[in-house]
Amino acid sequence: CFPVKRATVTASTMSQESGSELNNNKNSTSPLLGSLETFEELRERYENDIVRDEGSLLDVVPEGALPTDNTTMGFFHFVALLPFTIGDPQSEMEEERTVTSFFPLGYEAAVGIALAVQHLNTGELSLLHLSSLDQQPCPIRFTVEFVDTRLSAGYALNQAVRISEPLQESNEEQQELQRQLPSAFLGAGLSAVTAPTSLVSGLRGYPQLSGSATSAELDDKVKYPKFARTIPSDAGNANSIITYLTQKLGLKRLAVINVNDSFGNNYVHGLREAALIHAPELDILQITIESESTDESVKQTIKTLKDSQYQFVFAVLINDNMHKKVMTEAVRMDVAGNGRHNWVFADSFSTFIDGLRVEKGSPLHRALRGTGMFQASGMVGSRFKQFSAEMKLLNNPDDFSLLARMVPYFEESPYFNAESFLNPVKLSYTSFFYEATILTGLAACKAAGENNMTLSGDDLYESMTTYPAFESITGKLELDPSTGSRVPASAFYEVSNYLEEEELDPRTGKIMVRFRPAITDLYHDGEWQELTPFVFSSGKTDTPRDIPLPNTEQHFINTGIRIITLVLLAIALIMAMGFAGWVRKNRDSRVVKASQPFFLYLICFGCVILLCSVITMQFDTQNASIHGCSIACTATVWLVSIGITIIFAALYAKTYRINKIMRNASQCKKIKMTIRNTLKPVVVMLSLTFILLILMTALDPVKYRIHIEQIDKFGQPIETYGHCDWLNSMP
């Protein structure tokens, strides 16, 4: 780097020259982001006076160079690596290529970063609550450049290497091409792209701060020593996801489809770790899909899901093409869009579904109906409305013209001069990137002031990760110094439910469907708060099943057997009552008198009661509830017990009376045996029976139980029969 003398810091504001230029900017019709251009021009004006200490990240205009003596100014240069365009994969490493689509994250985040740089330069930090911080004027001014990563890890890595290449004094051509070295990197969007760029930035001593990369792998300080982020890592997100799925929805089984790379696999690892803490009973089935997402790999992934029979799916995918292929194939294989299977996604889903229009009734329409997404929320904090309002003000010709000179392909993008762009802010990541820029700037001011206008990568990174927590757009902003990631408890998390909105395509006359996100639940401080019910793929808010209902074969009493039994019962009842009638008719005959008619009546009555138990035995779950069947079981015990007791008590009393008479007759004794005398044994036996039956009914009645003959792989019954559990009740 540049060999220079060490400068001395003062607690002064900007120089008179830079201050007047910025004020003139404000008083003219210049862009609201005017400081970006002002300080870029100012830096170029003093380019020959700028020095950078070896190992420092600041470009310093030393004392005496500026019009006001005893004033030192430092320039801090952000390099924002963001995905702006997508082109032909075969030509992604070439400078000239055909752009096939534009990435909304890059453009909205770029404007958020530009607004943060403007606020740092002007000191307008009303979006933050900095009452606990040292708010002395900062002698550093900030500039920014935007670099398109093309959503390619390889291309982004080459750009990071090129931009961070140290300047050589002897190489005038290199100094001419790349005069301004970075001070810190922002980005680079997706985790798979951020990982390689942060390796390079860390090795070359530059901190890199992201507002969207969430892979838990980036917490590894050995591999990524200077990476930090204002969004929680996937390990922090996992706690909120698992508690929602298990405590709110009551899931026991979850299928996770993830891209087979470090981002996807670490995401699933975080879910498993969270499940061990919050829901040990949750069974997570991991199904991977290759990042190339070929047709064959997609088919195999969905076939594995179909074979598993899991009906609740959490998908961690990485790009629009992968989302489209997976969901289209899922509909074809009947594991999406059928009202039974439900899909929720990681935050990468938003870039696919936001702005998507599909024909009503198409496979994608059916697949995406009732879907949801988990993400750290950057749009629910108390200061978000103010942030969104300030972003909306930037949708004007002057600021768009300025941004077009800074942001790659902005004029060619669909967002240039579009009234809907920034109206409102659509992506949570925009808030996190704004905070990443602000935190880096505040930390740079703090560290530079403490180190005499010299700012090493280590000093800046330590200042960033240990910076006192403060209220910002997305809540209380606080980083964990051990990982560089945002403390999970300091952020909000949300569940978005995608609801259908129909519109008529005037060109084709077809009904098209857009999907509007509605926040249904918020998570903060360890608790989920429901804002509105979630509408699932069935179109209902009822909690869905995580596995299919079992096709259970229930064995009931055969209808033919019921009929035969009831016919025989009717015959037996007719016979019992017929015998009772015959006894009454022939009660005066010698034989009937000798047989003691009263006890014959009792025997017939006991038979009728006993036979009635056949009626209660007809009940099963085909014609009654479990409770009703249990009552029938208890009634059966009562009828059988009382009926048999009456029959045998009558026989016993009848025999006892005959024996008593015969014994006295053999002794030539006269005895009178009335019915009342012989009923005592009957009363005693019935009393004992009633006591036992009452105790049984009160303490341990007979219950109707379903016996499982066979189960499926989930432990659900597929063959059952019901019976009265006589053995486990009181005798």
Side-chain angles (χ1 to χ4, degrees):
C1 299
F2 297 111
V4 295
K5 65 179 182 178
R6 189 174 300 277
T8 303
V9 69
T10 66
S12 169
T13 59
M14 69 183 73
S15 67
Q16 289 181 351
E17 180 175 353
S18 63
S20 61
E21 290 196 28
L22 187 55
N23 288 330
N24 289 336
N25 245 335
K26 289 182 178 181
N27 296 328
S28 68
T29 59
S30 61
L32 298 175
L33 299 175
S35 77
L36 278 68
E37 201 166 41
T38 296
F39 287 115
E40 187 65 44
E41 293 172 355
L42 186 66
R43 189 195 178 286
E44 291 176 1
R45 182 179 306 174
Y46 293 102
E47 186 172 32
N48 294 329
D49 299 307
I50 286 176
V51 293
R52 178 179 283 206
D53 280 342
E54 184 174 357
S56 178
L57 303 178
L58 280 181
D59 292 334
V60 179
V61 181
E63 298 176 25
L66 293 171
T68 302
D69 293 333
N70 301 321
T71 300
T72 301
M73 177 179 288
F75 284 99
F76 188 100
H77 187 58
F78 288 105
V79 175
L81 304 170
L82 294 170
F84 293 105
T85 63
I86 303 173
D88 180 7
Q90 303 299 323
S91 61
E92 67 181 17
M93 302 302 292
E94 301 174 9
E95 288 302 317
E96 298 295 330
R97 85 197 205 289
T98 301
V99 174
T100 58
S101 59
F102 298 88
F103 209 64
L105 166 63
Y107 291 98
E108 198 172 276
V111 179
I113 291 170
L115 180 62
V117 172
Q118 170 74 10
H119 287 170
L120 286 169
N121 285 331
T122 60
E124 297 174 357
L125 301 177
S126 59
L127 292 175
L128 314 176
H129 183 60
L130 301 173
S131 59
S132 62
L133 304 177
D134 180 10
Q135 299 186 58
Q136 293 298 316
C138 177
I140 298 175
R141 296 296 166 256
F142 299 88
T143 57
V144 62
E145 68 174 291
F146 298 98
V147 178
D148 186 9
T149 66
R150 301 182 177 180
L151 211 63
S152 163
Y155 184 79
L157 178 63
N158 285 350
Q159 293 300 305
V161 170
R162 177 184 66 80
I163 294 168
S164 62
E165 185 72 34
L167 299 180
Q168 305 296 327
E169 288 185 89
S170 59
N171 192 339
E172 294 183 5
E173 181 181 356
Q174 185 195 33
Q175 292 192 28
E176 184 67 26
L177 291 175
Q178 183 183 302
R179 179 66 175 171
Q180 193 169 4
L181 281 170
S183 300
F185 286 87
L186 298 170
L190 299 184
S191 298
V193 181
T194 303
T197 59
S198 59
L199 276 172
V200 172
S201 60
L203 287 172
R204 291 189 167 166
Y206 296 104
Q208 180 168 335
L209 200 63
S210 177
S212 61
T214 58
S215 173
E217 180 191 17
L218 293 166
D219 284 339
D220 186 349
K221 292 299 102 181
V222 175
K223 292 176 66 177
Y224 311 102
K226 289 184 173 56
F227 177 80
R229 50 189 159 195
T230 51
I231 190 171
S233 74
D234 292 333
N237 295 344
N239 291 322
S240 62
I241 294 171
I242 292 298
T243 54
Y244 180 86
L245 295 177
T246 57
Q247 297 177 15
K248 179 77 184 295
L249 300 185
L251 297 187
K252 300 295 183 184
R253 298 168 186 85
L254 176 68
V256 180
I257 296 179
N258 69 281
V259 59
N260 192 17
D261 62 8
S262 59
F263 164 64
N265 291 324
N266 277 294
Y267 206 120
V268 179
H269 177 73
L271 291 175
R272 292 189 187 279
E273 291 294 311
L276 288 175
I277 299 171
H278 300 287
E281 72 285 354
L282 180 65
D283 179 18
I284 297 178
L285 173 66
Q286 181 180 8
I287 306 172
T288 60
I289 181 172
E290 297 306 317
S291 55
E292 294 81 9
S293 60
T294 62
D295 292 344
E296 188 58 36
S297 68
V298 171
K299 287 181 180 178
Q300 185 58 46
T301 297
I302 301 303
K303 184 179 183 303
T304 303
L305 173 62
K306 184 179 180 68
D307 293 342
S308 74
Q309 296 183 293
Y310 281 40
Q311 293 187 162
F312 206 99
V313 186
F314 181 72
V316 185
L317 309 177
I318 57 172
N319 56 48
D320 294 359
N321 183 52
M322 182 179 290
H323 281 96
K324 184 176 181 179
K325 281 188 172 183
V326 167
M327 297 312 293
T328 303
E329 184 64 19
V331 170
R332 193 186 72 81
M333 288 198 182
D334 196 34
V335 291
N338 53 22
R340 301 184 307 275
H341 289 78
N342 289 276
W343 291 66
V344 292
F345 296 83
D347 49 11
S348 53
F349 183 62
S350 62
T351 59
F352 165 63
I353 199 169
D354 288 344
L356 180 70
R357 293 172 76 241
V358 295
E359 185 179 346
K360 183 177 180 180
S362 65
L364 263 184
H365 169 221
R366 288 156 48 207
L368 298 175
R369 184 168 47 200
T371 53
M373 181 180 70
F374 290 96
Q375 67 173 348
S377 179
M379 304 171 70
V380 297
S382 59
R383 291 171 170 80
F384 175 75
K385 286 186 178 180
Q386 181 184 346
F387 170 70
S388 186
E390 292 196 29
M391 289 283 286
K392 181 180 177 181
L393 291 175
L394 300 179
N395 190 330
N396 65 77
D398 291 332
D399 283 294
F400 272 22
S401 178
L402 186 153
L403 289 168
R405 296 192 293 272
M406 302 176 65
V407 177
Y409 299 98
F410 187 45
E411 282 187 299
E412 294 87 347
S413 76
Y415 313 109
F416 186 73
N417 288 337
E419 291 185 8
S420 61
F421 184 54
L422 308 177
N423 185 23
V425 172
K426 295 181 175 63
L427 300 174
S428 285
Y429 298 131
T430 306
S431 302
F432 292 119
F433 270 111
Y434 174 90
E435 292 178 330
T437 310
I438 289 290
L439 177 61
T440 305
L442 293 175
C445 290
K446 181 173 180 289
E450 294 172 350
N451 293 282
N452 198 26
M453 213 56 178
T454 298
L455 183 64
S456 69
D458 290 337
D459 291 338
L460 176 57
Y461 185 78
E462 182 181 0
S463 181
M464 285 163 46
T465 55
T466 60
Y467 203 82
F470 59 90
E471 288 294 329
S472 184
I473 300 171
T474 64
K476 186 178 181 181
L477 181 57
E478 180 181 6
L479 302 191
D480 181 353
S482 64
T483 63
S485 294
R486 183 168 183 162
V487 174
S490 71
F492 288 89
Y493 301 87
E494 68 182 43
V495 176
S496 295
N497 185 198
Y498 285 91
L499 306 176
E500 305 166 67
E501 288 185 346
E502 296 182 2
E503 58 185 40
L504 183 66
D505 189 332
R507 187 171 55 86
T508 64
K510 295 180 179 179
I511 299 177
M512 308 299 289
V513 176
R514 291 181 185 272
F515 293 92
R516 173 181 57 83
I519 299 176
T520 62
D521 297 84
L522 280 179
Y523 182 85
H524 191 59
D525 291 333
E527 296 290 336
W528 278 103
Q529 177 188 359
E530 182 179 299
L531 306 179
T532 184
F534 191 104
V535 180
F536 296 95
S537 63
S538 63
K540 301 177 181 178
T541 59
D542 299 337
T543 302
R545 289 184 58 85
D546 50 12
I547 52 176
L549 282 168
N551 185 19
T552 306
E553 181 183 1
Q554 296 175 294
H555 294 291
F556 299 114
I557 300 172
N558 185 273
T559 303
I561 294 176
R562 286 186 197 274
I563 294 172
I564 293 172
T565 304
L566 291 174
V567 169
L568 293 175
L569 170 63
I571 293 171
L573 287 173
I574 292 171
M575 290 179 66
M577 289 185 285
F579 286 136
W582 180 87
V583 169
R584 178 171 179 77
K585 182 179 179 181
N586 298 284
R587 62 183 179 277
D588 294 328
S589 69
R590 184 176 179 183
V591 174
V592 173
K593 280 186 176 181
S595 300
Q596 305 174 70
F598 178 79
F599 293 107
L600 294 179
Y601 291 141
L602 273 182
I603 291 173
C604 290
F605 179 66
C607 288
V608 170
I609 293 177
L610 178 61
L611 288 169
C612 286
S613 66
V614 175
I615 298 175
T616 58
M617 291 180 183
Q618 301 296 313
F619 289 92
D620 57 20
T621 51
Q622 190 176 24
N623 50 33
S625 65
I626 294 288
H627 178 66
C629 291
S630 295
I631 293 174
C633 288
T634 302
T636 300
V637 177
W638 276 74
L639 292 171
V640 171
S641 301
I642 293 172
I644 291 176
T645 300
I646 291 174
I647 293 170
F648 283 96
L651 289 173
Y652 174 81
K654 184 174 178 293
T655 306
Y656 170 75
R657 184 183 186 194
I658 293 172
N659 286 337
K660 191 79 169 172
I661 292 171
M662 295 301 292
R663 190 178 304 115
N664 281 275
S666 65
Q667 298 176 4
C668 298
K669 291 182 180 180
K670 185 179 179 181
I671 186 172
K672 185 178 180 181
M673 289 292 294
T674 64
I675 293 177
R676 177 173 295 187
N677 292 334
T678 53
L679 275 180
K680 290 181 181 178
V682 176
V683 172
V684 171
M685 294 175 70
L686 277 175
S687 299
L688 290 174
T689 300
F690 273 107
I691 290 171
L692 290 174
L693 288 173
I694 291 170
L695 289 173
M696 178 202 73
T697 304
L699 301 178
D700 192 9
V702 179
K703 293 182 176 61
Y704 187 88
R705 302 190 188 279
I706 303 297
H707 178 76
I708 299 173
E709 282 284 292
Q710 192 176 351
I711 60 173
D712 62 12
K713 65 179 182 179
F714 300 116
Q716 298 183 114
I718 57 176
E719 184 178 1
T720 65
Y721 69 86
H723 66 97
C724 294
D725 189 5
W726 315 107
L727 299 178
N728 294 315
S729 61
M730 288 183 63

